[in-house]
Amino acid sequence: MSCRCGAGEPAGAPGAAEERFRGLLEAAPDAMVIVDDAGIIRLVNAQTEALFGYQREELLGRPVELLVPGRFRGHHTHHRNGYAHNQQVRPMGAGLDLYGLRKDGTEFPVEISLSPLETTDGLLVSAAVRDVSERKAAEERFRGLLEAAPDAMVIVDDAGIIRLVNAQTEALFGHRREELLGHPVELLVPGRFRSHHTHHRNGYAHNQQVRPMGAGLELYGLRKDGTEFPVEISLSPLETADGLLVSAAVRDVSERKAAEERINELAALVESSQDAILAKTLDGHITYWNAAAQRLYGFTAGEVLGRHVSVLAPPDREDEISALLERLREGEKVEHFETLRVTRSGALLDVDVTLWPTRARSGEVVGACAIVRDISDRKRAEAELTELYEQQRHIALTLQRSLMGTPPAIPGLATASRYRPATTGAGVGGDWFDLVPLGAGRVGVLIGDVMGRGLEAAAVMGQLRSAAHALAKTGLQPRQLMQALDTVVADLDVPDQLVTCCYLIIAADAGEVTICSAGHLPVLVAVPGRSTQTLEAPVNAPLGVGGMIYEQCSTTVPRGSTLVLYTDGLIETPGSDIEDQLNKLVATLDELVEVDPGLEASADHVLKTLLPDADGHDDVTLLLTQLPAAPLATAVTDLAAAPESVAAGREFLSRTLAAWGFAEAMDDARLLLSEVLTNAVQHGQGPIGVHLCRTDADLTVEISDRSPALPQPRQAAEDEESGRGLLLVRALADDWGVRPTDEGKTTWFSLKT
């Protein structure tokens, strides 16, 4: 058969044959392009026009490369020339992606089948061109579905050769895609299973159905690194034009297998547990009962399964069962609930019950479990220990109260004190306070804290309190007393014992407070109409440090002020910040001074506010002291250290007492003043100060001089002219004393009015 170039009509053959050829060409389902050995298009059919968008006359006589995308044209001429030397009916570009080029410049995937045609004019090649866009799109959709699959997908042919895999397969087995395609699927099977795997794969070809592989068997996959892992495999047959393919969905079940092992282990633990473990429905019917539950309650599993859990509770505890079930239905966990339960024999048991709700996958509460532990022995031991503890605590508190003593009531000085023992341990600790009457309208206030608890702290506290009280009675100034206590603490040689202390001297007539603090918490001053303030005090180290010089200061405090002294147990509480607690204390005092409920009520309110919980605190000391009222009258004069000053002093006393209407005490007062003033003139240094102070209870006379030497009473011999003055003062005065001052000393006496 031949063609007449350019004319589009066959030559050298009868016209009927040409028409039949053209008819066959037009009837072909694919686009048919016939080219000569130079690659020139000689004949096309209507499907070619429709597929490529050209009119027939636009194609005839043109190179066939007109229909080939530009990026392939260089190779196309080479492949076309090669076909002339290997003429056979075959697909073009086997294994390659082929594309056609439309007139509008768009490309589309094609399949091309080539057939040689020998004619009188030479070799012609017939190319059947088929648009495979839809098939390619379907393949892409299939690949997309394959890649989107959650499992590793492996597609093999009937010979067991891997034809397609997805990205999950690469990730799961550790092989790159190109390392799998074209290889036997046994590459992914552990060596010990390969001989059986081929047999099972061949068997599947005769029983094609969608089913799990190796039902009832343990299946394993083999990674590239040689490690094995448990898998589940689902098989699906795929009938294709190329024959049977099998799709295998492979899922790693390592985590599930591990979970199953853990569940089995837990089940074994539950059954072997020494605690009773039971499960129940939300309405209280028992669904599980382990061996320990049988030992505890005496019921066998057969006797209780299906029965209501109230069978285990005494009749008076059935409401408790209902309340617990309601809490479980709300999803609440109940931990260490101590109650009573009853055994099969009717005996009562003290038990500790922990219950928790069990949930479905949706999160809905569907049941409950309980762990029950017999605590009867523990309860008995606790009762015995509680009784013993209370005995020891009573003894310890009695000891502590004896060590602390009972501060005396001081006329004119309103006080309120509270002591709370520690709520843990023996209850004893190192807190203490004391009130020391110093005479002449002066009061010493002591508060201290030996850090720690127990008898050791209490013993140290008792020694310190006794020493401090004795030192205060000598009239020492606060800094002198603190210096002496520092030596006492050092001599006690208590390792790692921190001791704080604060000493105040309140002078009623001047409204003056002298303070020295050894590392103690600040003293607060609550004044009506003002905000509570901290009493100014120098910062000193705690006692026992050694080598410290303690300092003091004096501050005038408004009349009616309340001094608030306390130990750290009041503001150092579990779960609270010290600064927050201190601010809370200040705010509470601000409220109290406005309503003035009295010191006793105020002390109770402070403790209730700052320590609302009865448990969990250290021992606490709280002392409220309200400054005494001002004296009815005072008078002061200065005298020289000369003999004539004695007469001048008597004159000053007589004139002042007469003005006060106090003549009944004038004789004794004049006599005592003469004796003390004579001592000051003879043995002291001037100037000499005389201070008179009258209250509704007594008259106080103070004589100050600049000599630090303290006078001492002594028994004078019969032939001595002096030495009887202080004995006379001690005999006639209702009270008297001597106290050192920074300038020298002050000797005083008082007479009742």
Side-chain angles (χ1 to χ4, degrees):
M1 184 177 190
S2 63
C3 294
R4 186 172 296 167
C5 296
E9 298 179 358
E18 292 178 4
E19 287 304 319
R20 284 197 301 273
F21 179 75
R22 287 180 181 275
L24 289 172
L25 203 63
E26 292 298 333
D30 298 321
M32 301 298 296
V33 181
I34 297 175
V35 299
D36 60 18
D37 55 0
I40 302 301
I41 300 172
R42 295 306 180 191
L43 198 63
V44 296
N45 63 358
Q47 285 81 349
T48 303
E49 294 180 283
L51 183 59
F52 286 93
Y54 287 97
Q55 296 296 319
R56 197 176 303 238
E57 56 271 18
E58 294 177 302
L59 295 173
L60 298 178
R62 302 287 298 280
V64 73
E65 279 76 20
L66 176 68
L67 305 178
V68 177
R71 66 184 188 278
F72 299 123
R73 287 175 184 169
H75 299 289
H76 185 268
T77 302
H78 171 72
H79 291 307
R80 179 169 49 75
N81 292 335
Y83 184 75
H85 302 289
N86 186 19
Q87 301 174 20
Q88 55 180 330
V89 178
R90 65 175 175 83
M92 176 182 174
L96 300 177
D97 288 327
L98 304 180
Y99 289 86
L101 179 67
R102 296 188 180 94
K103 182 179 179 179
D104 62 7
T106 59
E107 298 181 8
F108 59 99
V110 296
E111 279 185 352
I112 302 175
S113 295
L114 302 177
S115 300
L117 300 172
E118 291 290 346
T119 70
T120 56
D121 294 333
L123 176 67
L124 295 180
V125 178
S126 170
V129 183
R130 179 173 296 173
D131 184 357
V132 293
S133 298
E134 291 186 4
R135 195 185 76 193
K136 287 288 187 181
E139 289 178 358
E140 288 301 319
R141 287 195 295 273
F142 176 72
R143 289 179 183 274
L145 290 172
L146 205 64
E147 292 297 332
D151 297 322
M153 301 297 297
V154 181
I155 296 177
V156 300
D157 60 19
D158 55 0
I161 302 302
I162 299 173
R163 296 304 179 193
L164 201 61
V165 297
N166 62 355
Q168 285 81 350
T169 304
E170 295 180 280
L172 182 59
F173 288 92
H175 290 278
R176 296 194 306 276
R177 199 173 301 230
E178 55 270 21
E179 294 175 326
L180 296 173
L181 298 178
H183 288 78
V185 72
E186 281 75 19
L187 176 67
L188 306 178
V189 177
R192 67 183 188 277
F193 299 121
R194 286 177 184 169
S195 60
H196 299 289
H197 185 266
T198 303
H199 170 72
H200 291 307
R201 177 168 51 76
N202 293 334
Y204 184 76
H206 302 290
N207 185 22
Q208 301 172 19
Q209 56 180 324
V210 177
R211 66 174 174 82
M213 175 182 172
L217 300 177
E218 296 286 340
L219 303 180
Y220 289 87
L222 179 66
R223 296 188 180 92
K224 182 180 179 180
D225 62 8
T227 58
E228 298 181 9
F229 59 101
V231 295
E232 278 184 352
I233 302 176
S234 297
L235 302 177
S236 300
L238 300 172
E239 290 290 348
T240 70
D242 297 329
L244 175 67
L245 296 180
V246 178
S247 169
V250 184
R251 177 172 297 174
D252 183 357
V253 293
S254 300
E255 291 186 2
R256 196 188 73 194
K257 289 290 185 181
E260 289 175 354
E261 291 178 3
R262 289 195 295 271
I263 290 172
N264 291 334
E265 290 173 359
L266 288 174
L269 286 173
V270 167
E271 193 56 33
S272 63
S273 172
Q274 296 302 305
D275 292 327
I277 300 177
L278 57 144
K280 53 196 172 187
T281 61
L282 288 179
D283 58 0
H285 290 89
I286 300 171
T287 58
Y288 177 78
W289 187 261
N290 74 343
Q294 179 174 336
R295 291 194 299 271
L296 179 65
Y297 290 106
F299 292 100
T300 65
E303 290 174 320
V304 294
L305 290 180
R307 296 181 66 180
H308 197 272
V309 72
S310 59
V311 71
L312 306 176
D316 60 346
R317 303 256 173 170
E318 290 186 3
D319 290 343
E320 176 186 283
I321 295 290
S322 300
L324 290 173
L325 288 172
E326 181 60 32
R327 292 170 67 180
L328 290 167
R329 281 191 286 270
E330 296 295 326
E332 182 182 350
K333 182 178 180 181
V334 181
E335 294 189 83
H336 300 299
F337 181 79
E338 296 188 1
T339 184
L340 287 175
R341 289 292 178 260
V342 64
T343 68
R344 189 175 187 275
S345 64
L348 291 178
L349 292 175
D350 284 297
V351 295
D352 177 295
V353 184
T354 294
L355 307 106
W356 68 95
T358 55
R359 301 177 184 271
R361 287 183 177 273
S362 63
E364 178 187 4
V365 178
V366 294
C369 287
I371 295 179
V372 185
R373 178 171 295 175
D374 183 359
I375 57 172
S376 301
D377 291 341
R378 195 196 80 192
K379 284 289 187 180
R380 284 191 292 272
E382 285 178 353
E384 294 172 0
L385 286 173
T386 299
E387 183 179 359
L388 180 60
Y389 169 76
E390 289 300 327
Q391 293 175 356
Q392 293 177 338
R393 183 177 172 84
H394 176 72
I395 294 171
L397 291 178
T398 301
L399 171 64
Q400 179 149 21
R401 290 191 178 98
S402 67
L403 291 173
M404 286 185 65
T406 302
I410 298 178
L413 183 70
T415 63
S417 62
R418 296 290 184 272
Y419 175 76
R420 277 193 182 181
T423 55
T424 57
V428 295
D431 287 9
W432 57 280
F433 74 96
D434 200 1
L435 300 173
V436 185
L438 302 177
R442 300 161 68 85
V443 179
V445 181
L446 280 159
I447 191 166
D449 187 0
V450 179
M451 299 300 179
R453 301 174 188 170
L455 293 177
E456 184 179 31
V460 174
M461 174 271 291
Q463 295 177 76
L464 282 179
R465 183 183 181 277
S466 298
H469 187 91
L471 290 168
K473 291 293 286 185
T474 65
L476 290 178
Q477 296 184 68
R479 60 177 175 79
Q480 295 170 326
L481 181 140
M482 214 60 72
Q483 206 76 51
L485 283 183
D486 182 60
T487 302
V488 172
V489 172
D491 289 344
L492 290 175
D493 192 24
V494 181
D496 303 323
Q497 194 73 271
L498 182 64
V499 180
T500 67
C501 185
C502 183
Y503 181 43
L504 298 82
I505 294 180
I506 301 173
D509 57 345
E512 183 180 78
V513 177
T514 303
I515 180 173
C516 181
S517 175
H520 201 76
L521 293 166
V523 177
L524 300 178
V525 183
V527 184
R530 302 185 189 178
S531 297
T532 299
Q533 301 291 328
T534 299
L535 185 66
E536 182 181 351
V539 177
N540 295 308
L543 298 175
V545 175
M548 302 299 298
I549 302 298
Y550 289 90
E551 298 180 2
Q552 67 183 38
C553 72
S554 297
T555 306
T556 301
V557 178
R559 300 291 180 182
S561 299
T562 299
L563 301 179
V564 182
L565 296 87
Y566 51 94
T567 55
D568 59 353
L570 185 66
I571 60 173
E572 291 185 18
T573 57
S576 299
D577 183 77
I578 295 178
E579 288 297 326
D580 291 341
Q581 284 289 94
L582 189 56
N583 291 335
K584 188 176 182 180
L585 173 59
V586 169
T588 302
L589 294 173
D590 286 341
E591 295 172 1
L592 289 172
V593 295
E594 294 302 323
V595 297
D596 191 18
L599 293 187
E600 294 293 337
S602 295
D604 290 335
H605 185 74
V606 167
L607 288 180
K608 182 179 179 181
T609 302
L610 270 76
L611 300 174
D613 297 326
D615 296 326
H617 62 76
D618 196 359
D619 54 336
V620 178
T621 296
L622 174 66
L623 175 63
L624 306 182
T625 302
Q626 198 166 51
L627 260 66
L632 298 177
T634 60
V636 179
T637 188
D638 287 331
L639 303 171
E644 58 270 20
S645 294
V646 176
R650 286 197 300 269
E651 175 61 25
F652 169 71
L653 176 64
S654 299
R655 187 171 62 252
T656 302
L657 294 183
W660 291 349
F662 207 53
E664 64 273 15
M666 187 177 299
D667 291 340
D668 288 345
R670 283 166 57 90
L671 175 59
L672 296 179
L673 174 65
S674 296
E675 293 296 332
V676 176
L677 197 55
T678 299
N679 280 345
V681 169
Q682 292 178 348
H683 307 292
Q685 300 175 11
I688 298 172
V690 178
H691 179 206
L692 309 181
C693 178
R694 179 191 173 193
T695 68
D696 57 358
D698 53 31
L699 168 70
T700 299
V701 179
E702 296 181 344
I703 298 93
S704 303
D705 64 65
R706 299 300 179 90
S707 172
L710 301 181
Q712 298 293 333
R714 63 183 179 86
Q715 193 69 39
E718 293 183 1
D719 57 346
E720 286 185 293
E721 294 293 330
S722 62
R724 298 181 178 84
L726 290 182
L727 295 177
L728 185 62
V729 171
R730 187 167 62 179
L732 295 179
D734 293 303
D735 196 7
W736 78 283
V738 182
R739 65 174 183 270
T741 65
D742 287 337
E743 294 80 17
K745 64 179 178 293
T746 296
T747 305
W748 59 272
F749 62 86
S750 62
L751 298 169
K752 298 293 184 183
T753 59

